Amino acid sequence: MSEHIQQQIETDDEQEIHLRDYLQVIRKRANIIVTVLVLAVLISIIRAYTAVPLYSASTDVLIERNYGTRGLDQDYYRYEPEFLDTQAQIITSVNVGRRVVKELDLTGRYRSLIMPEQKAVEPSLLSRLKKTVRGWFSGVVSFFSSAENATTTANDMLVQSMAGMEPLSEEDQFARMISGGLFVSPVPDTKIVSISYSHENPVIAKLVTNAVVKAYMDEMLEIKLASTSYSLQWMSSKAEQEREKLERAERALQQYMRDNDLVTVENSLSVTPEKLNEFSSQLSRAESERKDLESLLKQIREAGTDTDKLETIPVFAENKVLKDLREKVYKARQSITELSKKFGPKHPTMIKANEELSNLQKERRFEVQRIVSSTENAYELADSKARNLEELIAETKTEMLDMNEKFIQYSILKREVDSSRVLYDTLQTSIKKEGVTDQSQSVNIWVVREADLPIAPSSPNKRRSLLIGLALGLFGGIGLAFLVEYLDNTIKSETELERRYGIPVLGSVVHLGKAKENIESYIIQQPLSPLAESYRLVRSSLLLSSAEKPPGVILVTSMMQGEGKTVTSVNLARILAQGGKKVLIVDCDLRRPRMHTIFALRNESGLSSFLSGNSDKAIIGAIPGENIALLTSGPKPPNPAELLASKKMEELLDLVRQRFDFVLLDSPPVQTVTDSLALSRVADGTIVVVRFGKTTYDMLNGGIKKLTDVRGHILGFVLNGLKTRDARGYYYGYSSSYASDEA
């Protein structure tokens, strides 16, 4: 069990989330969503009704790259996604803005329309806030700048201050204003670009929009002319340098060829590789032949003088003379066999037949020896041929290395001549080309539609602003709600508890609400309420928690204070007593006892008195009208943990087991003191009370680890304070069915 719990604590796998979980989060965090939604809508309304109306004028311009005569060839047309983006950056550049300012004389003729005189009005709260933040930020920057500049010279400080404080001219201010107000958007699937400009005055919007197109054309022409002029100047200078370099390289190459007779060497270089390749091929064939003959000789030597074994070798077996001799020997032997049936061994016919057989065998051995000698001679010849070829290849390689050494410098000089000639020819061609096309535009620009005088303002769009505010508020509120839910690490589910720790949840106790404060006596006053049913469910689970019999001594604890362990002890005792069981509550919280207050009993003597030896008997008080007894905590001792872990505590529990069916030990929280850990070792089981929406998994991880480390037997969890709206349908039936009983 402990290994499983530890593994579940260390491994936090992500659980599948259903749609009802999302709806539950939205309903739970509805206040956050509504607040964000209302704020977003209010801000949208304020901005829509307080913004200055702007008029927008737009013109359509066809922009395409000029390929010149190359444009007649379809191969030159290619997809350039960055082309229109580049042109858009040029259109919105400050240089184009300056041309518009000069063209329309905006600093003089239209100055009052572009930049009207500001009236002395009381700044708004937002303006004052911006000014305050800007002033604070400037002060911080000035402080660090002064500390850094303390080590610089006076001249550096003067240069920095002049560069930082130099104001923009009025023309530059107008140009930046125009550039910032331009909006360039390509028309999809075309080469047309829409250029628009917005201003408070519709006339200015129209004039600036049309003037931008002309300024853009002039800027592109100036870019082309400046680029061509610089290119021609640079290429002319570079061509002169390359011409001189080419002449020097050609002279050096010619002198080197004369000194080293490189014409002959070049021919040798073309012949020698072919000769080397031929020698290599012959050597491969010779080595192959030598290896074959060597293998054949090895077989012959292994056969030795055994003629029959030699004749199994292919070169002997395929020899025509040996074939004929083998047939004659075979016939001679057959003849001797037939004659031996008629004549004796000394008969002249037999003697003659044997002599013929002997002669044939001699001829056979002679022929075998002749083939062996022939094979050895062939091997020696092949070996000699291979060695000769190796010597020829070595001599040829040496000759090639000598030739290559002489040819290296030639190749270097020749490459230098070739590269200089190519570069020089390219520069001459480019100079001629630039001279012909220096007056042509690299980009073709045509005005498809001029800007008209706008009649109605383009912004603010109140309806769109309201819809955007509504959408942003709704999605922002939902996102914030899920963020808060994600950061909430508290316990909110029975299923999650059981999945993480592998420990059953004995039951969930519903939350009464602020109106029902006396929760300790509520189940007596309302025995059919959802709260009473919650504890009955806990009782049923507790009675079934052990295989043989229910646990007798039960420790009730929690992770932190205020999670409801004392109330759980009281109500669980009453529910157990209602079933006819004798129940004893032992107040083991010797630091902050509450049981005597709940049951209105005196606490002059109790558990601490018995454990410390100040009393011979543990005074157990009966609760009037209930089948419950209580052993109060007694006076607060200086060493509660030592008393609870003493031998007398075990003796006391052994005594009360005999008198009571159930003994409930109400103990301090696990995370604050060690009292509960000492009691968990002597109890039959431990009930851990966790508070819905308050107890975090981090607290529970540490507490469960402490209990498992001391080998405490955990019976299960009691999820306390479960609200009806968060119960996921567990207690809806109770709320509706027993509403009349609670009333």
Side-chain angles (χ1 to χ4, degrees):
M1 173 69 75
S2 61
E3 294 179 358
H4 177 74
I5 295 172
Q6 193 68 24
Q7 184 179 5
Q8 291 295 334
I9 292 175
E10 294 176 355
T11 306
D12 186 11
D13 298 329
E14 185 176 353
Q15 191 178 11
E16 182 182 1
I17 300 178
H18 298 280
L19 179 60
R20 62 175 176 269
D21 297 320
Y22 292 114
L23 297 177
Q24 181 71 15
V25 173
I26 292 174
R27 186 179 64 175
K28 180 179 179 181
R29 309 291 180 179
N31 294 336
I32 296 177
I33 299 174
V34 172
T35 301
V36 174
L37 178 62
V38 171
L39 289 176
V41 172
L42 287 177
I43 292 173
S44 301
I45 292 174
I46 292 172
R47 288 179 60 86
Y49 284 91
T50 57
V52 178
L54 297 178
Y55 294 85
S56 297
S58 63
T59 178
D60 293 337
V61 180
L62 174 63
I63 303 176
E64 65 178 4
R65 187 179 292 278
N66 183 11
Y67 294 102
T69 56
R70 294 182 303 170
L72 299 176
D73 189 356
Q74 295 296 327
D75 292 340
Y76 285 101
Y77 287 100
R78 57 184 182 273
Y79 177 64
E80 296 179 304
E82 72 282 356
F83 174 70
L84 290 181
D85 293 336
T86 303
Q87 302 307 310
Q89 292 296 321
I90 296 175
I91 294 172
T92 58
S93 65
V94 179
N95 288 339
V96 173
R98 292 194 185 100
R99 291 182 181 276
V100 173
V101 173
K102 293 179 181 179
E103 175 72 20
L104 298 178
D105 190 18
L106 297 181
T107 57
R109 182 179 180 184
Y110 295 104
R111 186 183 186 284
S112 59
L113 296 178
I114 293 292
M115 190 178 293
E117 297 294 334
Q118 299 294 330
K119 298 181 181 181
V121 296
E122 183 70 20
S124 62
L125 177 61
L126 183 60
S127 300
R128 292 198 301 271
L129 181 60
K130 289 182 179 179
K131 185 176 181 181
T132 302
V133 173
R134 191 182 296 111
W136 176 82
F137 181 74
S138 301
V140 173
V141 173
S142 301
F143 173 76
F144 286 104
S145 298
S146 61
E148 180 181 358
N149 293 337
T151 58
T152 59
T153 61
N155 291 334
D156 293 337
M157 294 174 62
L158 180 60
V159 171
Q160 292 175 7
S161 62
M162 291 178 62
M165 298 179 60
E166 182 179 357
L168 293 174
S169 64
E170 190 175 59
E171 180 180 337
D172 287 341
Q173 294 180 15
F174 277 57
R176 292 176 184 274
M177 186 184 304
I178 291 173
S179 300
L182 286 174
F183 181 74
V184 181
S185 61
V187 179
D189 301 327
T190 68
K191 298 180 181 179
I192 298 177
V193 173
S194 176
I195 304 173
S196 60
Y197 179 74
S198 300
H199 195 266
E200 301 174 14
N201 192 311
V203 177
I204 296 298
K206 175 186 176 182
L207 291 175
V208 170
T209 303
N210 290 326
V212 164
V213 179
K214 184 177 183 304
Y216 165 57
M217 294 179 179
D218 295 342
E219 182 69 14
M220 291 300 298
L221 182 59
E222 184 172 342
I223 291 174
K224 173 64 177 178
L225 293 176
S227 175
T228 302
S229 176
Y230 178 79
S231 298
L232 286 173
Q233 182 181 358
W234 180 85
M235 285 189 294
S236 299
S237 175
K238 188 67 176 177
E240 182 63 23
Q241 297 176 8
E242 292 300 324
R243 183 186 63 79
E244 297 175 357
K245 182 178 178 181
L246 175 61
E247 291 177 356
R248 290 195 299 270
E250 288 176 340
R251 285 195 295 269
L253 178 62
Q254 188 64 29
Q255 184 64 35
Y256 185 79
M257 292 177 65
R258 186 181 296 110
D259 294 341
N260 293 275
D261 192 18
L262 284 187
V263 175
T264 304
V265 173
E266 188 171 11
N267 291 335
S268 299
L269 285 175
S270 62
V271 173
T272 304
E274 296 178 0
K275 183 165 57 174
L276 182 62
N277 290 333
E278 180 63 26
F279 288 159
S280 299
S281 299
Q282 292 180 10
L283 177 61
S284 298
R285 291 193 295 271
E287 288 181 343
S288 177
E289 182 180 357
R290 181 174 61 181
K291 289 181 179 179
D292 293 340
L293 291 172
E294 184 179 1
S295 176
L296 179 59
L297 280 177
K298 184 178 179 181
Q299 293 180 1
I300 292 173
R301 292 190 180 100
E302 289 177 353
T305 59
D306 188 351
T307 306
D308 294 332
K309 191 174 182 181
L310 285 172
E311 289 188 3
T312 60
I313 300 173
V315 68
F316 295 93
E318 297 172 357
N319 187 276
K320 186 176 180 181
V321 175
L322 283 178
K323 286 182 179 179
D324 294 338
L325 288 174
R326 281 195 297 272
E327 290 179 2
K328 290 179 180 180
V329 169
Y330 177 76
K331 291 179 179 180
R333 285 176 177 173
Q334 283 184 338
S335 177
I336 290 172
T337 302
E338 292 176 358
L339 291 174
S340 63
K341 296 177 181 180
K342 298 178 180 181
F343 306 103
K346 295 182 179 182
H347 192 275
T349 305
M350 289 294 295
I351 294 172
K352 182 180 180 181
N354 288 326
E355 288 178 354
E356 290 179 358
L357 176 62
S358 178
N359 291 332
L360 288 173
Q361 289 178 342
K362 288 180 181 179
E363 290 180 9
R364 178 184 173 192
R365 286 193 296 272
F366 176 78
E367 184 64 24
V368 168
Q369 187 61 36
R370 187 190 65 78
I371 295 173
V372 171
S373 300
S374 176
T375 304
E376 290 177 348
N377 293 334
Y379 171 73
E380 291 176 359
L381 180 61
D383 183 62
S384 176
K385 182 180 179 181
R387 286 197 299 271
N388 292 335
L389 286 172
E390 289 176 352
E391 293 176 359
L392 286 174
I393 288 175
E395 292 175 359
T396 306
K397 288 182 178 178
T398 303
E399 182 182 354
M400 283 191 65
L401 290 175
D402 294 339
M403 291 296 176
N404 283 332
E405 290 177 358
K406 292 181 180 180
F407 201 71
I408 288 175
Q409 187 62 30
Y410 169 79
S411 300
I412 293 173
L413 294 173
K414 194 171 186 307
R415 282 197 302 269
E416 185 176 355
V417 170
D418 293 340
S419 62
S420 298
R421 181 178 290 112
V422 170
L423 183 57
Y424 177 72
D425 293 342
T426 302
L427 287 171
Q428 289 294 331
T429 304
S430 299
I431 290 173
K432 294 178 181 179
K433 179 181 176 182
E434 288 292 335
V436 173
T437 62
D438 60 345
Q439 297 299 323
S440 63
Q441 272 277 29
S442 60
V443 178
N444 295 328
I445 305 170
W446 292 278
V447 178
V448 178
R449 179 181 63 83
E450 292 187 351
D452 297 327
L453 183 68
I455 301 176
S458 59
S459 67
N461 189 329
K462 299 177 182 178
R463 182 179 179 182
R464 185 178 61 183
S465 298
L466 183 60
L467 291 176
I468 291 175
L470 186 64
L472 290 177
L474 181 60
F475 289 108
I478 294 175
L480 182 60
F482 278 98
L483 176 62
V484 172
E485 183 70 16
Y486 174 77
L487 297 177
D488 186 3
N489 193 31
T490 58
I491 296 169
K492 299 179 288 295
S493 168
E494 290 184 1
T495 306
E496 182 69 11
L497 265 177
E498 294 181 347
R499 186 188 69 84
R500 286 195 181 215
Y501 303 105
I503 300 174
V505 176
L506 301 177
S508 297
V509 180
V510 296
H511 181 64
L512 287 180
K514 296 182 180 180
K516 312 289 176 56
E517 297 180 355
N518 192 8
I519 189 173
E520 294 86 357
S521 60
Y522 186 76
I523 63 172
I524 297 177
Q525 300 171 1
Q526 301 287 342
L528 299 180
S529 63
L531 181 66
E533 292 298 330
S534 301
Y535 282 107
R536 290 190 181 96
L537 177 61
V538 175
R539 179 188 63 185
S540 300
S541 301
L542 182 62
L543 295 176
L544 298 174
S545 61
S546 299
E548 297 180 358
K549 63 177 181 177
V553 179
I554 303 171
L555 174 67
V556 181
T557 186
S558 64
M559 297 298 108
M560 299 297 291
Q561 182 183 354
E563 293 176 334
K565 60 177 181 57
T566 300
V567 173
T568 301
S569 300
V570 173
N571 289 330
L572 183 57
R574 283 177 168 154
I575 290 295
L576 289 171
Q578 289 177 3
K581 304 294 183 180
K582 296 177 64 176
V583 183
L584 171 63
I585 302 176
V586 181
D587 192 353
C588 297
D589 193 348
L590 305 182
R591 303 172 189 270
R592 302 182 64 179
R594 284 188 56 213
M595 285 295 180
H596 64 282
T597 305
I598 295 174
F599 291 102
L601 297 178
R602 301 173 63 87
N603 194 29
E604 285 81 3
S605 178
L607 180 62
S608 62
S609 304
F610 175 76
L611 296 178
S612 62
N614 295 327
S615 177
D616 296 335
K617 296 182 180 180
I619 302 175
I620 298 176
I623 307 301
E626 300 184 51
N627 197 17
I628 299 174
L630 172 64
L631 175 56
T632 60
S633 63
K636 293 182 182 180
N639 54 347
E642 288 77 2
L643 293 179
L644 294 174
S646 64
K647 191 68 175 178
K648 295 195 69 173
M649 185 66 189
E650 297 182 16
E651 295 175 357
L652 174 63
L653 292 178
D654 291 338
L655 291 174
V656 297
R657 286 177 194 270
Q658 302 173 7
R659 293 179 53 189
F660 297 93
D661 297 317
F662 292 98
V663 179
L664 301 182
L665 307 180
D666 181 43
S667 67
V670 174
Q671 293 285 26
T672 55
V673 292
T674 61
D675 301 4
S676 298
L677 301 180
L679 292 171
S680 66
R681 292 197 296 265
V682 297
D684 296 337
T686 302
I687 295 177
V688 179
V689 180
V690 293
R691 186 77 179 183
F692 178 87
K694 180 178 180 181
T695 307
T696 65
Y697 284 107
D698 294 335
M699 294 181 190
L700 199 54
N701 288 343
I704 295 299
K705 186 178 184 303
K706 290 179 181 179
L707 289 171
T708 54
D709 287 344
V710 298
R711 300 186 182 279
H713 176 52
I714 302 175
L715 299 173
F717 296 109
V718 172
L719 182 57
N720 189 28
L722 183 67
K723 297 181 180 178
T724 305
R725 65 176 184 178
D726 298 313
R728 302 190 180 186
Y730 295 151
Y731 298 104
Y732 287 115
Y734 294 147
S735 300
S736 59
S737 301
Y738 296 107
S740 59
D741 296 333
E742 295 186 35

